[in-house]
Amino acid sequence: MINEFFSIYEGLKGAGEEPQIKHNDIASPGMGTTFRVCLSESGTVNSIELLTKEKIKNTWSLGNGNKNQFPAIKYEYPFIPSGHEYYKEWKKDNKNAKPGAYYNLIKEIISMHKVSIPNVDQWPSYRSKILERKKQLKEVLKMCEEGLFVFELFERYSKAENEGISIIEQVGKKLVELVSEVRDRDTLRSVAEALFGEAIDNKGRLKDSCKITLLLDCLPQKDIDIHVSSRSRIPVLSEALFAAEQGKKSTVGNCALTGRESELFQEKFPSEKLSVVGNTILFSKNDGTSGPTVRRYGKAGVDSFSLSKLLGEKLAAGVVFLTTEDFEGKTWKKIPSSVGTSPSLLLAYCKSNFDLAIAPVITGGDIDDFDDYANATESVLRLFDKSDCSPDDVVEICEIRVLDKANRKVNYSNTATIGKINDAATDWIKACNNVPDFKLFARAGKENKLLPPWVIAPIETIFLTKNKFIRNGLTPTPEKPVGFSDTMTLFLSQSSSAKNLAYRNIEKISNQVEPLFKYCALSKVKSRIDKKVTKVDKNALVLKLVTLFGVLLFKFGRMKEVYMSNFAYQFGQLCSAMDELHIGYCQSMRSGDIPNTLIGNTTYSLALQNPKKALEVLASRIRPYKAWANKEIAKTKDLDNVSDIAIKAGLFAHLWIKKQAKLINDHFDNESPQVDDTYKAELMLGYLAGRSVG
C-alpha cells in the first residue's frame, strides 16, 4: 500500500498541491454515540449536546494510538446502572419506539433511580497523561492565538474538581436535564443508552461497542461559533507537536522509498481514518498476523520498512486530501468488495488534474435509472475534452480493501492514460449494446414499465455476480463474485487477457443465474394469463445480467450479429415460442389451466445439456398443439382480430415456429452443433428474449 500512497504524493507534488501534514498522534474520534461536553473557564460543565455524524467528522482527538485520547474520551459506565435491567426488558417490546415512548421511559426510570458515578480515583484513568501533554505543549501552543485556544481546553480540563470526576458527575445531571429539553428520537435514544447502558459486562462496564464518547470542548472566542475541537485547529496543533519533539533522540537511516538519509519512524507508522475503509495504517507488518515474511526476517512494525518520518506524514496527508468529501464521486467512491461484507475504497484520479472526475467512468455515479451510466460517462468524456489534460496524462486506479478489523490492503493497482480510459469507456458502452432487442416489464428507479436491457457500469459486474440462484430462480445464495481486479481487466484491456477472462466467466455466471433466467422467461409468457407471476425486481436484475452477458460475449469476440444467428440462441427462441404455443392451447382448450411444466420449458432444460435429445423430445410432443393451432388458424380469417392475447400469441408463435424449424434443421446438416462455454449463455439469452416480432 505504501507504494500507491507514494504515487499519490508524487502526483500531488507534480500538480503543485502540498496538503497540510498532520502529526501522527492526531486522530479522528470514532463514529459512535458522542456527546459534546462544553467546559467553562473554571472547568465545570456548561452544556451538553449529542453530535451528528457530520459534526463528529469535523473534530479531532489527540493520543497515543487508541490510548490516552483527549479531548474525545470513552466513558465506560452507564450513568444510572440500576436502570439497566428495566431498560433492557423495555427494549424487547419497543424496538421501533417513538420519541414519546423514550421520553416516558426515561422519566419513569429517573424518578426511581439516581445518577451513580463509579468509585474511581480520577477521570479518565489516564488523567496524568493528559496533564503531561498539557505541560509538553504549553510553551509551543502559547506562541500563537490559535494555539492558545487549544491550550485553553487543556487548561479548563485541568481545573475540574476532584481529579476530573466532577465532569462526569455533572454530565450525568446534564443528561437527565436534557430529557426535558429535547423531543427528537435520536437524542432521546442516545441519552437512554448513556444513562442505562445498551450492554454491560459482569463488572458493570459498558461493552466496547456500546461505550459512549464524551468530547470535552469549549468556545474560546466570544461571538464566534468555532469550537476548539474543530479540525481547523489541526495545523497549529500539529506544528506544536512537531516542535515539542525537536531535540528528542531519533533514529536516522536511509529511507527505503527515496534512498536518502532521513529521520525514520521509531514507534508506529501513520494511521488515518479514510472514507469507506476507516482506520488505515500507512504500512502494516504485524508480528502475529503478517505471515511468513515476518517470520522469515524477524522484522515487524517500523522495523520492517525504513521510512522517512517527514515523507511518511506527507504520504498520509496526500491520501487524506484525495479522499475528502469534496472529491467524492470524482477521485474516490465506495464499491462492493469481492470478499467479506465490508465495502472497498476505489481511488481513481488524474495526476495532472485532481478535479477531473474519473470514478464515474468505473462506477457510473449514483445509478438509479437505465440511462445513468451512459449519461455519467458522456459527462466525464466531455470533461476530458474540455480540460487542459492531454490523452497521455496519467490516471491511477486503486482498490483498498478491508481484510479484517485491523488490516487494510491494496487489492488492485493500475496506471492508465486519459486516452485509454476514454477508449475503454466508449468500448464498454458498445459492449453493453451487444444484446438482443426485447423488453421486460421491470422496475427502474421508482417506475415500472417495459424496458430493454440497459447499459451497466463496470463496477456492477461485482454486484451482479455475487449470488447463485436456487429454488426456481427466486432465492439468491452467496457466491464469490467477479473481483474488482478482473472487472478492471474486462474494462481496460483489449488483449487476450480480457478475452480469456470473459471466456472463463461466461460459463461460471451462466451456472449461477440460469434458474433466474428460466423463471423470468416463463413469467414473461405466463403473464398473458396471470399478471401476478411478473416480479419487476427480478426482471430488472435479469435485464442487467443480459447486458453483462453481452459485455462478456463482446470481449470474447462474439458480436450479436453472430451469436443471434447461431444455433444456441435460435434454439432458445424456439423453446420460448413453444411455451407461447402451449399456453395458447391451454387457454383455448383447458380454460387457462396451465400445467406446471410447459413443452418449451421442458425442451429448454434438456437443451442445456443435450440439444439433439431435446429436439427429439420436442418432435414427439408437439403434435396436439400443432394440430390445435392449424385448426384455429384455418377457421380464423384475421389473427390480429383474435381477442384473447394468450391465444393470439400462441397462434402467431406457431406460424413463427414453422419458419424457425427450417433454420434449426439447417444447423444439423453437417453435424450436431457444438455445446461449448458460450452455448449455454446464448441459449439462455434466446429463451429469455423469445421469438422476433414484426
Side-chain angles (χ1 to χ4, degrees), residues 137-148 151 236 239-240 243-244:
L137 298 176
K138 180 177 180 179
E139 297 304 321
V140 288
L141 283 174
K142 285 187 172 183
M143 293 172 65
C144 67
E145 186 179 41
E146 283 287 316
L148 276 172
F151 182 77
V236 70
E239 289 179 15

Side-chain angles (χ1 to χ4, degrees), residues 195-267:
L195 290 176
F196 315 125
E198 288 288 291
I200 299 177
D201 63 20
N202 55 14
K203 293 183 178 180
R205 293 190 178 92
L206 294 169
K207 293 185 178 179
D208 284 344
S209 60
C210 302
K211 292 176 182 176
I212 65 165
T213 298
L214 301 180
L215 179 72
L216 304 186
D217 214 338
C218 65
L219 286 168
Q221 294 169 283
K222 292 182 179 179
D223 304 322
I224 298 181
D225 190 19
I226 301 177
H227 289 87
V228 168
S229 67
S230 167
R231 294 188 69 84
S232 63
R233 318 284 188 193
I234 287 179
V236 70
L237 181 57
S238 291
E239 289 179 15
L241 289 165
F242 285 128
E245 289 176 350
Q246 287 184 1
K248 282 188 174 182
K249 184 179 178 181
S250 60
T251 301
V252 176
N254 290 330
C255 174
L257 284 178
T258 65
R260 292 192 288 271
E261 188 173 84
S262 315
E263 181 184 348
L264 305 179
F265 281 103
Q266 292 178 266
E267 297 179 359

Side-chain angles (χ1 to χ4, degrees), residues 141-160:
L141 283 174
K142 285 187 172 183
M143 293 172 65
C144 67
E145 186 179 41
E146 283 287 316
L148 276 172
F149 295 154
V150 176
F151 182 77
E152 176 66 18
L153 182 57
F154 281 93
E155 186 74 0
R156 293 187 183 196
Y157 165 74
S158 67
K159 291 179 180 178

Side-chain angles (χ1 to χ4, degrees), residues 351-364:
K351 283 189 170 184
S352 305
N353 184 351
F354 286 90
D355 281 317
L356 196 62
I358 304 293
V361 181
I362 300 169
T363 65

Side-chain angles (χ1 to χ4, degrees), residues 56-297:
I56 296 174
K57 287 179 182 177
N58 187 41
T59 63
W60 56 266
S61 191
L62 180 61
N64 181 16
N66 290 324
K67 299 177 181 179
N68 306 333
Q69 288 293 313
F70 180 86
I73 305 171
K74 292 284 187 184
Y75 188 61
E76 298 183 328
Y77 298 89
F79 285 92
I80 304 180
S82 54
H84 172 71
E85 290 301 324
Y86 188 95
Y87 174 56
K88 188 170 70 171
E89 288 300 315
W90 177 86
K91 281 200 306 175
K92 291 179 181 178
D93 300 320
N94 294 272
K95 292 181 179 179
N96 297 306
K98 293 183 178 179
Y102 270 105
Y103 175 81
N104 292 333
L105 166 81
I106 298 170
K107 281 292 188 181
E108 181 181 356
I109 296 179
I110 62 179
S111 69
M112 299 183 292
H113 302 274
K114 303 300 180 185
V115 172
S116 174
I117 301 303
N119 184 21
V120 292
D121 296 330
Q122 57 185 358
W123 185 80
S125 58
Y126 51 87
R127 175 177 167 85
S128 59
K129 298 290 184 183
I130 298 173
L131 298 181
E132 283 178 23
R133 181 78 81 170
K134 173 193 169 188
K135 184 177 179 181
Q136 174 198 23
L137 298 176
K138 180 177 180 179
E139 297 304 321
V140 288
L141 283 174
K142 285 187 172 183
M143 293 172 65
C144 67
E145 186 179 41
E146 283 287 316
L148 276 172
F149 295 154
V150 176
F151 182 77
E152 176 66 18
L153 182 57
F154 281 93
E155 186 74 0
R156 293 187 183 196
Y157 165 74
S158 67
K159 291 179 180 178
E161 295 179 352
N162 200 13
E163 298 294 304
I165 296 172
S166 62
I167 293 176
I168 52 174
E169 291 173 340
Q170 293 162 35
V171 167
K173 293 176 183 177
K174 289 287 185 183
L175 285 170
V176 171
E177 293 172 8
L178 192 60
V179 177
S180 300
E181 298 171 5
V182 299
R183 285 296 182 273
D184 69 281
R185 183 177 183 274
D186 286 344
T187 301
L188 288 169
R189 184 183 60 192
S190 298
V191 168
E193 291 175 10
L195 290 176
F196 315 125
E198 288 288 291
I200 299 177
D201 63 20
N202 55 14
K203 293 183 178 180
R205 293 190 178 92
L206 294 169
K207 293 185 178 179
D208 284 344
S209 60
C210 302
K211 292 176 182 176
I212 65 165
T213 298
L214 301 180
L215 179 72
L216 304 186
D217 214 338
C218 65
L219 286 168
Q221 294 169 283
K222 292 182 179 179
D223 304 322
I224 298 181
D225 190 19
I226 301 177
H227 289 87
V228 168
S229 67
S230 167
R231 294 188 69 84
S232 63
R233 318 284 188 193
I234 287 179
V236 70
L237 181 57
S238 291
E239 289 179 15
L241 289 165
F242 285 128
E245 289 176 350
Q246 287 184 1
K248 282 188 174 182
K249 184 179 178 181
S250 60
T251 301
V252 176
N254 290 330
C255 174
L257 284 178
T258 65
R260 292 192 288 271
E261 188 173 84
S262 315
E263 181 184 348
L264 305 179
F265 281 103
Q266 292 178 266
E267 297 179 359
K268 59 180 181 177
F269 290 120
S271 174
E272 293 292 349
K273 184 168 285 187
L274 303 183
S275 298
V276 183
V277 293
N279 285 328
T280 303
I281 301 173
L282 199 67
F283 184 83
S284 180
K285 282 291 181 185
N286 185 285
D287 56 2
T289 60
S290 290
T293 54
V294 172
R295 291 194 295 270
R296 183 179 301 121
Y297 301 107

Side-chain angles (χ1 to χ4, degrees), residues 338 461-463 465-466 480-487 490 501 505 508-509 512 548:
S338 56
T461 301
I462 303 175
F463 286 107
T465 58
K466 68 179 182 179
K480 184 177 180 180
V482 175
F484 183 75
S485 178
D486 285 348
T487 296
L490 288 170
L501 183 61
N505 278 293
K508 173 189 182 299
I509 300 169
Q512 288 179 221
L548 178 57

Side-chain angles (χ1 to χ4, degrees), residues 395-398 412-416 420 488 492:
V395 168
E396 295 280 352
I397 302 168
C398 171
Y412 172 85
S413 180
N414 196 8
T415 301
K420 187 174 182 180
M488 294 309 297
L492 288 173

